[in-house]
Amino acid sequence: MGRYGPVVRRGDRVPPKAWPPKAGPQESGPEARERSFGRRVRSLLKPRSVAGQVFLLQLVVVLLLIATAVVVLVLQDSSRALQEAGDRSLVAAESFANAPGTAEAMKSDDPTAELQPHAEAVRKKTGVDYVVALSPYGFRWTHPDPDQIGKHVSTSYGQALEGEPHQTTFDSSLGKAVDSTVAVFDDKGDAVGLVTVGVTVDKVTGVVEDQLPVIFAAGGVALLLAAGGSALVSGRLRRQTRGLGPVEMTRMYEHNDAVLHAVREGVIILDGDGRLLLVNDEARRLLALPPEAEGSAVTGLGLSPALAGLLGSGRAATDKVFLAGDVLLAVNVRPVGAKGGSVATLRDTTELRALAGRADVAGGRLQLLYEASTRIGTTLDVKRTAEELTEVAVPRFADFATIELVEPVLRGGEPTGTSTDMYRIAAEGIRDDVPLYPVGRRMHYAPTNPVAIGMATGRPVLVARLALADGWRVQNPERAQKVIDYGIHSMISVPLKARGQLLGVVEFWRSEQDAFEVDDLSPAEELAARAAVCIDNARRYTREHTTAVTLQRSLLPAVFPELSALEVGHRYLPAQAGVGGDWYDVIPLPGARVALVVGDVVGHGLHAAATMGRLRTAVHNFAALDLPPDELLGHLDDLVARIDQDAEAEGEAEAVTGATCLYAVYDPVSGRCVLGRAGHPGPALVSPDGSVTFPDIPVAPPLGVGGGLPVETAELRLAADSRLVLYTDGLVEARGRDIDIGLGMLREALVHADGATPDDTCRAVLDAMLGTRQSDDVALLVARTRLLDPDQVEEWEVPDDPAAVARIRAEATRRLEAWGLDQAAFTTELILSELVTNAIRYGATPIRLRLLRDRDSLICEVGDGTSTSPHLRRAAFTDEGGRGLFLVARMSRRWGTRYTDRGKIIWAEQSLDAGSAGDLGSLLMADL
């Protein structure tokens, strides 16, 4: 007999209504109700049912959600209040500043009388704390407190005067507040005043108080729903367990028993003493158990000691593998019950293990190919791409890997196929002492070598046993024996081919892993194919990059002439992505002056380099006309616009738009430097005392987009030993770094390079500013200024009288004698007589003559107040005039005209080298 009636065994018939037992009489009355209520309270405080535990969990979750919602709402309200306060103050400031009459009131004789009533009205209507109107210099015109009117505001408002609203957040006596300041502009665009509006954050808060009741109400509803749901679940569970009769229980047992014996997995239930309580049919079959196995000890069933020990111990185990006869079993054991019983499941894994082994191999190869697709070809460098292939293959596929490429591929050229000689450029292995040929070795394979056979056939070659490969051993018997003695026993050689051309070969070697099989040829070939495409791409990039670099280097100046005005240092660094359009130049100008140029064409590649060459040539041509910076940049802008129009007309996708340029002309006589820039960063100036500044140079739009707008210039007076630093944006701008930070770094680098030569300054700046891989190319030009000794310059005021020519000529002759240039006196007298006479006859006052002695040249300059330029012509035999400029051109190295703001200067430069003046007598006797 059981506790609640007779025990029902398998196969027994259950009498109707024998289960469950009849219930006794129900208790009633006040005492019974009190006991029932107490049980319910205790059940709520310490729930044992699933429904009660779920209800407690739901209660905790709802409370956490309410708390989280309140915290999030408070944080959102704080952030929203600060944003709304800022928006309200900015809207009020903009509205008052742009209101009709505000600008006129600020420009009136008494702005306070005009603006104070309106400001107070706006403050009261909008609910802000204050509306203050300021003068452009920061003096208050209005204020809620009249005593504050007329006082100066010390806060920064420079940003607002430039047209950008200025907004600050501060802590006031009333709490956190936001202040917005905007400028008021008149019809001409001039700032006539400022409007500042402040709002405290507390005025826009209050969302939390409004939302808390809603949150608590929603939480209460959620708790009620959770309580109701738990009650329904609890009632349903009670009904389901109470209403289950013996027939239904027996049927459930029969179903469970049928399922237990039908599953394709052995099940064994053991008690705490290691005796079998239940064994299903699959377990009998797998373990070959006798029919009367139930009730027997597991150690007495003839199982292997290891398996019997595990089953009898009752210890937990997961997928422990044991051999039972010819069957490989995976055993899982789980302890159950309070008396130490356990349940064990058995699974036949014989075939599964074989399939899993093959699947692991296939999965490993797929993973290897996936890694190859992501790790090979990360750069466009031939050598690095080859190294990536060896790093992927070792040690997952091979113990050692080596790669050789034909020589033209290393230089970026097309493989010719005329020679099989290659160079080993990559090697990787699990150890470093392998006796294979090292990197850099030139390789030549005999025709019988497996590598040569693979190169000839274009197919991979497998050598499963190197010790038996006579064709491989004959290449170098001594080294082959060392390789075999080292333990390397098999090899696969795969040619690297792309677009039908042989680029090289890769060899995979094994020493500790199992020998290569035929199945290994497919992944080896796939690895080689992926790497060959990447190597070919890197080769083609190398060729294009080399071509572009060669082109750009040929377009950039190689050396600069010796100059009296400047000492120059320069650097150019191409970007890692390819050459770009950055360029620089130093152009000597008449009068010992020098032009400094730095430009940038946006983009990289051949198009940018070719465009840079066109612009540099154009600058040289315009500089030969001695144009000032503003005119030169204007002509350059027109040229770029025409180039873009021609490119558009021809259907070319690439244009020059985006080119920038900075052009500076330095005069060593006066120290005057005139600069103009079109879309280009301004220069840095290092004073002789070491201080670094960035002069404010007016900037024009980039070349080609100026639309004919005039270019403004700036004039600097440079002391001797100053350093003018010109650069392109690649020096100070970088990805993830603001330009202000770059300018600060440049300032620090120039300060630390104080006293260095221009060339050393370039080196120090690049070391401090650039990393190992800059994203943009960089051009840097550092010019240290010099001033000509006053003794090298002589000037005269020339009267507007032909009779003065003789006196001027005599004074010039005496100056030449003082300089020790007696041999040049006659030629100089002839040149200056012609130029001064032409200025008196055809020009206008004031007329000035200047002689400059510069290194190996003597420069004669005559300026007058007219802009008409003389022209060289060939006079007829019967003409009395027209030969003066011809004589000047023949007796000087070069001559020309440059225009100034108030006239022109005719100049002629003579060479002071011995014998350079020519035969004056034969010139005078020539048939002119």
Side-chain angles (χ1 to χ4, degrees), residues 541-560:
Y541 170 79
T542 302
R543 179 186 60 189
E544 295 179 3
H545 181 74
T546 303
T547 303
V549 169
T550 303
L551 173 62
Q552 188 176 46
R553 292 295 185 186
S554 65
L555 294 175
L556 290 175
V559 294
F560 292 131

Side-chain angles (χ1 to χ4, degrees), residues 894-917:
R894 53 179 182 158
W895 73 282
T897 305
R898 72 172 181 269
Y899 295 93
T900 63
D901 295 339
R902 299 182 180 179
K904 67 177 183 297
I905 295 176
I906 309 298
W907 57 272
E909 179 180 328
Q910 305 175 60
S911 175
L912 297 180
D913 294 337
S916 61

